[in-house]
Every structure is written in structure tokens, then in C-alpha cells.
Amino acid sequence: MDSFPRLLDAVARCLCRFESVVAERPVLAAVSGGVDSTALLLTLARLRRDGRLAGPLHAAHVDHGVRADSEANARHVAALCARLDVPLTVHRLPARAGHASEESLRNGRYAALHDAARALDAGLVLTAHHADDNLETVLFRMLRGTGPRGLAGIPESRWLGAGPRRVLVVRPLLRCRRGTLERALADLGETAYDDTTNRDVRYARNELRLQTIPALRASLGLGLDVALMTVASTARSATELLEAHGRRILSQRGQRKTGWSVELDLRGLAPDAAPFVREALRQAHEGLHPAGRAPTTAWLDRAEALLRARDGTRLAGRGGLLAERTRDGVLVVDPARAPAPPHAHGQPFHWDRGPQRFGDTEWTLVGAEHPLPPLTPSPAEAGRLRALLDPRGAPLPWTMRTRRPGDRFRPLGCDRDLELRRFLQGRHVPRFDRDRVPLLVDGDGRVLWIPGVEVSEHARLQLNTRRCIEVIAHRG
């Protein structure tokens, strides 16, 4: 079977698995002009011609600006796209002083592809990584030291970015060898642009490709490829199992889920669930990070250590993320994206006026007046996010505000005021929440209720209570 028809079938089968993601939106191909991306673009153009491509085809070329011939490279790609009638976007990265690292170039390239995809509202970004790239990646990570996820190699797909702006990156050539791509171009009479940086052994990947792997193949023959593919396949299976259990923990035990926070309730988990908890923390970090980046191994090690620390212990993460040990598990938040409470003076609270949002936070309070305390639901059934208050000893106006220095609180059943700071700490309220929870305060400045925590003795129901204020808090 000729190489090009094999490519057509391989790419078509891969894209069929992602048709629901594309949904007739544009498909964006990353084209550097080399053998791999040229073969990918030619394959996609043929699939488009045959009506086998879900959405319109676009191309993007990223000019890193590190080579003297980068403009000639961009012109080559532009000419190829013009000949194939494929719209092209060229993104030039800012000039860099000195020798740019591989990681910085890769991050810049993916950031540019993400911007181009968002501008087009593309359903997929397609890159030309192939089987030889995957083998190099596995060996490279093996030599540097890695775990099962690193040994699994390049994933066929992954999300780029985070939240509603994320874009799916797919590698449809990942099961094709580089020789197949070269023969396909030869069969079509096409030539690729010769990127001189691919021979620069100052880059570690080039040294591995041009020197280390040929030497190993000369010694081991095809056994090297078979061994690496076996390692990658085994590690991928282990990683898929790990990710599935991590998603289960995140789904079943994730509380207070917002676009900027999640708390894992880890009570009752067996010790042998530790690897899955670690994976759930990794996924939580990746889901909350502004750019969708996974945490470092060092961060995960320290996050696991939080489980053995006292509640209130904190850990900083990449992109400003914060992890905090709570009484029930671990809270992961992005403080920069957390909506702000109202100003220091707070905001008025009026019952019988519908829900009232506490500043821009996730908290909403709603109050209603009753001639007698309602008998249902019972306090145990209603939970700590509902309070029944006697207003006789609590003068108006009532206010919702955050805590202030010197605040004191008299808990239900207590005969003296306690320092609010120490009370919240003793009730295991997470440090992150202590300056966000809405305190319901009366006209004398006394705290009547801390939602989710406790009612004040000053507003407790009495046997002769004939007028009751019911307040319900919603979070989320």
C-alpha cells in the first residue's frame, strides 16, 4: 500500500474520534514547513477535497525569530498554503536575546497556536508529531528521570489553555513513522523546507535524535524501538488507570466547585488510595491554573505532605494557585480569580427582599420573617447554612460584612464573648474563607450569625419568641 493512502486513512480515523469536538468549526493545522507538518497539511487538504474533513481547514505558522532564514521559511509555508488554497495565519514571536531554550520556544509556539485557534473559533489544533517523535520523547524522559506519565510518551490529544477558552490539540500522525511521511512526500513530488536548527546539537532533543539514538540502534537494532514502544504502551495503560481513578475522586469528593476553587473531601479514604489522591490534586491544579498547566512533581510531593499537616497549612503553586489543608481534606484555589467581598463597611441586609449577593463572592443570603419559628425543617435537617434568629435583642440595621480586627463572637450556649479569630480557627474554618464568609451583624456591631458555622447567643430563639427571622445562605 502506498504511503500517502496510508496517511489518509490514519488521519481520517483519528479525526473521526473527535468529530463531536469539531462540530463543523474550523480545523487549524500547525505548519512549520518541515517534512512532518507538510505531510500533515497535504493529507488534510486531500481529506477536505474528498469531503472527509468535518470543518473548514486553516493553517498557522509560528516564526520563532531565532534563525536568519525564518522569513524564508514563512514564505515557503505561505506559498504551499496558497497552492493548496488553505488560509494561513503567521505569528511572529518577540525577539529573544541569546540562545532560547527548547522549553521557552515550545511554550511560545503553543501560546501562539492557542491565540490563533481562539481567533478562528477552531474546534481542533492539529500538530504533526509522529511515532519517532514519541520514541524520542520516551527515551529523553527516561534518561532524565520520570514517572509513568512521562514514560507514556506524547498523548494523542490534550487540552490547551483552561476554562471556556481551552482548545483541544490532536496529533493524528502519532502512529505513523517518519519514513512513511518522507515516502509520502516523495510519492507526491513535494519538498519540505530544510530547517537548519534541526541539526543544531546545542538542543538536547537534536543531540538525542542525531547522535544518541543512532548509536543505540547500531548496538541494539530494532530492539530499541520495540523496547521503547513496550515501555510507552505499559506506562500509558497505567496512566489511564491512574487518571480514571483521579477523576473519580475529583468528581465524587470535590466540593465547593467553582471556576476558581475546589475542595477535596478525603475523609475515610484508605491509605492505598494515596496515588489516586495525588492524581486528583494534579487534575485539580491543572483545571484551575489560568493556562491549564499541570503542577510540578515537587508541588505534588508537597501537596501530599499537606495531608499529614495540621489544617491551615498552605502551599503556593504555579500561576498563583494556593493549596490549603482543611479539616476535611485539601482546598485548591486561585485567589487572583476569587470574586471580591464588599468594601470594609459591608452592605445592608434586608429580609423579605429576595436573595442578596455578598459583594461579588459566591455567597448569597436570603431572609424571611415568620410570626412563629417554623417547625420544619428541623435544625438538623436544615444544616448550618440556615439560621433562625430572634430579632428582639438585635437592633437594626443588619449588615453583611467580613471580619474586622477586634471582632468578638458569643457562640450559642456560651456566656461570654470570644475572640472571633480564635473561634473561626477552633471551628476549622479554612484560612482562605475567614476573610470571605459573610458575617451577619446587628446595629450594635454584634455578630449574629456566621453562615455554615454558628448562631450567636444574642439572637437565639427563646420560649417566648413570637417573631422569627429565617436566613438561608447559598454558596456557589
Side-chain angles (χ1 to χ4, degrees):
M1 185 177 183
D2 293 338
S3 297
F4 191 61
R6 289 171 59 190
L7 281 186
L8 288 174
D9 289 341
V11 173
R13 284 196 302 270
C14 176
L15 295 183
C16 280
R17 295 194 288 273
F18 300 97
E19 282 186 349
S20 60
V21 179
V22 179
E24 299 185 354
R25 290 186 294 162
V27 174
L28 181 65
V31 183
S32 67
V35 170
D36 318 333
S37 61
T38 299
L40 175 63
L41 185 63
L42 291 168
T43 303
L44 293 171
R46 178 65 63 87
L47 292 175
R48 180 190 60 179
R49 190 195 72 179
D50 296 343
R52 300 168 67 186
L53 203 61
L57 177 61
H58 289 256
H61 174 75
V62 180
D63 182 355
H64 296 88
V66 298
R67 307 192 331 258
D69 63 340
S70 62
E71 291 188 5
N73 191 167
R75 288 195 296 270
H76 173 88
V77 173
L80 174 65
C81 290
R83 181 156 50 86
L84 297 175
D85 192 24
V86 176
L88 172 68
T89 299
V90 177
H91 188 102
R92 290 178 173 82
L93 298 182
R96 301 170 183 267
H99 179 70
S101 68
E102 291 174 277
E103 182 179 8
S104 65
L105 294 176
R106 180 173 59 253
N107 291 340
R109 178 166 62 251
Y110 275 113
L113 291 175
H114 180 264
D115 291 343
R118 293 304 306 167
L120 290 170
D121 189 29
L124 297 176
V125 173
L126 306 182
T127 66
H129 294 91
H130 49 75
D132 290 66
D133 290 328
N134 197 25
L135 295 180
E136 291 171 11
T137 297
V138 173
L139 182 57
F140 186 74
R141 292 174 178 173
M142 187 183 299
L143 294 174
R144 289 197 165 188
T146 187
R149 188 181 309 280
L151 293 178
I154 304 172
E156 183 180 53
S157 64
R158 75 173 181 91
W159 289 103
L160 185 62
R165 291 182 54 81
R166 66 180 186 172
V167 178
L168 190 63
V169 177
V170 175
R171 287 96 177 201
L173 302 180
L174 207 53
R175 293 178 174 84
C176 302
R177 300 301 298 262
R178 180 179 173 86
T180 302
L181 306 182
E182 293 173 338
R183 288 191 295 274
L185 289 191
D187 292 344
L188 296 172
E190 296 283 351
T191 57
Y193 191 83
D194 182 19
D195 183 352
T196 56
T197 60
N198 288 333
R199 296 189 294 274
D200 186 350
V201 294
R202 291 181 299 171
Y203 294 109
R205 287 295 291 262
N206 288 346
E207 182 182 10
L208 184 74
R209 181 186 306 116
L210 300 175
Q211 298 178 359
T212 306
I213 290 180
L216 289 173
R217 282 196 176 123
S219 174
L220 302 175
L222 291 178
L224 173 68
D225 293 40
V226 173
L228 292 176
M229 285 189 288
T230 301
V231 168
S233 177
T234 304
R236 190 175 301 113
S237 298
T239 301
E240 289 172 354
L241 179 65
L242 191 67
E243 290 177 343
H245 281 285
R247 283 193 296 271
R248 176 182 58 82
I249 288 178
L250 191 59
S251 172
Q252 296 178 354
R253 293 178 171 267
Q255 301 178 346
R256 300 171 47 187
K257 293 181 181 178
T258 68
W260 50 270
S261 72
V262 64
E263 182 178 9
L264 294 180
D265 183 349
L266 305 179
R267 291 174 296 175
L269 279 178
D272 57 7
F276 308 134
V277 172
R278 180 186 177 96
E279 173 61 20
L281 288 169
R282 188 198 69 81
Q283 293 180 15
H285 186 290
E286 188 174 41
L288 295 176
H289 190 279
R293 292 179 184 170
T296 62
T297 301
W299 187 90
L300 285 173
D301 291 340
R302 294 167 64 194
E304 278 191 301
L306 278 182
L307 302 179
R308 301 184 293 274
R310 66 176 184 274
D311 55 313
T313 306
R314 290 180 161 186
L315 168 63
R318 303 172 72 179
L321 261 63
L322 180 71
E324 179 181 335
R325 179 68 165 102
T326 65
R327 178 176 56 179
D328 299 336
V330 176
L331 172 67
V332 184
V333 298
D334 181 0
R337 287 192 291 151
H343 54 76
H345 298 294
Q347 64 189 74
F349 176 76
H350 305 282
W351 54 84
D352 291 328
R353 292 195 184 181
Q356 299 171 64
R357 193 170 187 86
F358 184 52
D360 294 325
T361 70
E362 67 278 19
W363 287 97
T364 300
L365 269 63
V366 58
E369 182 175 349
H370 301 280
L372 290 172
L375 298 178
T376 58
S378 68
E381 294 170 334
R384 293 187 177 274
L385 291 180
R386 178 249 208 173
L388 298 178
L389 309 175
D390 188 329
R392 289 180 296 177
L396 297 175
W398 287 9
T399 306
M400 294 186 293
R401 65 167 174 83
T402 54
R403 64 173 178 168
R404 298 173 184 170
D407 270 339
R408 302 186 70 81
F409 179 68
R410 182 173 297 185
L412 199 63
C414 189
D415 59 359
R416 61 188 178 89
D417 291 341
L418 305 178
E419 188 179 356
L420 180 63
R421 178 180 64 86
R422 292 188 180 276
F423 175 77
L424 294 177
Q425 183 179 355
R427 287 300 183 92
H428 304 280
V429 176
R431 289 171 60 189
F432 179 77
D433 290 335
R434 293 173 199 170
D435 290 317
R436 298 179 58 80
V437 63
L439 306 178
L440 188 58
V441 180
D442 70 8
D444 290 338
R446 296 180 303 185
V447 178
L448 303 179
W449 183 42
I450 308 172
V453 184
E454 186 61 273
V455 171
S456 170
E457 177 70 14
H458 295 298
R460 72 175 301 170
L461 299 183
Q462 307 290 335
L463 290 176
N464 61 350
T465 295
R466 292 295 179 266
R467 180 169 172 248
C468 172
I469 307 301
E470 179 185 30
V471 186
I472 299 175
H474 299 277
R475 186 174 192 170

